[in-house]
Amino acid sequence: MGENPFENAQKQLEKAAKIIGLEPAVHSILREPMRIIDVHFPVKMDSGETRIFNGFRVQYNNARGPCKGGIRFHPAETLDTVKALAAWMTWKCAVANIPYGGGKGGVICNPKELSSTELERISRGYIRAIAQFIGPDKDVPAPDVYTTPQIMAWMLDEYEKIVGGAAPGVITGKPLALGGSAGREDATAQGVVYTIREAVKVLGIELRGAKVAVQGFGNAGSFVATKLSEMGASIVAVSDSRGGIYNENGLAAKDLAKHKEQYGTVLGFAGAKEISNSELLELELDILVPAALENQITGENAGKIKAKIIAEAANGPTTPEADEILFGNKVFVIPDFLCNAGGVTVSYFEWVQNLYGYYWTKEEVFEKLDKIITTAFESSLKAAREHSVDMRMGAYAVAIKRVAEAMKLRGWV
Ligand code: NAD
């Protein structure tokens, strides 16, 4: 990945701290996670052999409520990535103004090389190792890279066996049959679309006919493309890990989703020509949606970006160096922790429904989501204008002030 994501998170915090004049004591607390849980746990493999797996749970800050954040299963997982993501979760929950702190977890493993029974034993083993540190009122995990609703179901089951009773609010992203929320599947994309709807208003761009490219046609990216296309935007390019496709007159997003499902890639879609991922970023566009990996827009290519809006569906796609260049070139960046907050917001709704024991329709969920995301966008924009900074720093200003206020009220500083 090149750059250290936690260093980038700390750089962003430092920049924001200067802008809002954050007290040094508050800054020092926010620079590091409050607690890191590092576990090694045994798992019986199908062969009969026992292997030891290493997992983490980072509880970054819990001043505003229980920690909240996903669990990643990845062979190249690092504590620094988990720390960075836990920091971003803190800002994400605060900017959305949902009553959570930030957390994140990970297990170093390769789900592609594991059988389903091994995956189940890893999921249960990880929960046994961290069970005393999580709970509906302590820390609430969720799915992330290579973890699924089925994995959440195993984890829930293991946790409930340990505590000896129903506790559906311990984890979100569960299957519907186990207390999941309607709308969770496309919640992130729906939130991205709400922020884009607000950004085009600010810039006076008509969404109908706007040219859009989506880097990363996965869970988040494919729903964003389909939803924007239904609203009249023209999806001119999309890509995945194998490469990209382009059609200046627009690609049929729904057919493309079917094509991707059938062939496992967007390549080979009828009527489109192939382009590279770097060419996609530099196209003549109204809206660019990075929805793949970290560090895609850097000091090297930021100057070549022609899009008017960058909507960061992915976490950490833009480096701090690129931010400066984009701001100078008046590119309107909707920062990741605001842009993709729809996922955690619907996770919050799931937790509320679990605690309440009463469930909402998808329409109710999206109506409530719209209010939260639109309000978060408006407060970030207001702060950005007040301090004459970009939207990332505007969103940071809102989020940090909220976490700082909670810490002060508790008497931590
Ligand atoms: P995903 O695995 O479903 O999709 C990722 C897509 O990116 C895949 O199509 C993959 O082929 C593609 N990709 C990988 N490398 C690429 C490259 N070099 N160039 C172009 N495309 C590439 O994952 P996802 O859940 O859609 O998550 C994508 C991003 O959105 C991540 O940064 C994630 O943290 C963020 N995010 C997702 C959610 C969510 O609810 N899904 C919520 C918040 C943030």
Side-chain angles (χ1 to χ4, degrees), residues 207-252:
L207 190 54
R208 188 157 285 284
K211 283 190 191 318
V212 180
V214 180
Q215 185 200 41
F217 200 71
N219 182 15
S222 61
F223 278 119
V224 171
T226 319
K227 286 172 191 284
L228 287 179
S229 143
E230 280 165 6
M231 291 164 84
S234 174
I235 312 299
V236 294
V238 301
S239 66
D240 57 31
S241 55
R242 315 243 306 254
I245 56 169
Y246 173 70
N247 182 337
E248 60 176 346
N249 299 316
L251 303 155

Side-chain angles (χ1 to χ4, degrees), residues 72 85 89 92 104 143-146 184-185 187-189 214-222 239-243 260 264 266 277 290-294 296 312-317 336 340-344:
R72 298 157 52 112
L85 290 160
M89 283 306 299
K92 195 183 292 193
K104 204 82 182 187
D144 203 282
V145 175
Y146 295 149
R184 179 63 186 87
E185 190 189 31
T188 300
V214 180
Q215 185 200 41
F217 200 71
N219 182 15
S222 61
S239 66
D240 57 31
S241 55
R242 315 243 306 254
K260 168 92 181 171
V266 295
N277 260 302
L293 304 171
E294 303 84 8
Q296 297 302 298
E312 295 182 340
N315 282 314
D336 46 10
N340 67 35
V344 74

